[in-house]
Amino acid sequence: MEERKFYLSDKDKKIGGVCGGIAEYFNIDPLLVRIGFLFLFFGMGTGLLFYLLLWILAPKRPSAW
């Protein structure tokens, strides 16, 4: 079984690559993830906090030689 790891996205990156990385990890459309973060931001006020924490704590994808 292949082990999946969450990384910030290099390919689908608007600001920090968090939403693109989540979308790659779960194999879903990045637009859905971005809408989810907007809902959390405007609905509950936590979206920005989650985004910033993931941006700071999530590793970048290792470069392939």
Side-chain angles (χ1 to χ4, degrees), residues 3-37:
E3 182 180 338
R4 294 187 307 171
K5 291 188 177 183
F6 172 71
Y7 295 108
L8 297 175
S9 177
D10 290 332
K11 297 180 275 183
D12 193 7
K13 180 177 178 177
K14 299 294 182 193
I15 298 174
V18 174
C19 293
I22 292 171
E24 289 173 9
Y25 183 81
F26 289 109
N27 197 26
I28 58 174
D29 188 3
L31 181 61
L32 296 175
V33 179
R34 290 185 180 105
I35 290 171
F37 269 102

Side-chain angles (χ1 to χ4, degrees), residues 42-56:
F42 290 113
M44 296 183 223
T46 58
L48 182 62
L49 177 66
F50 287 148
Y51 190 93
L52 291 175
L53 284 173
L54 285 172
W55 193 5
I56 292 168

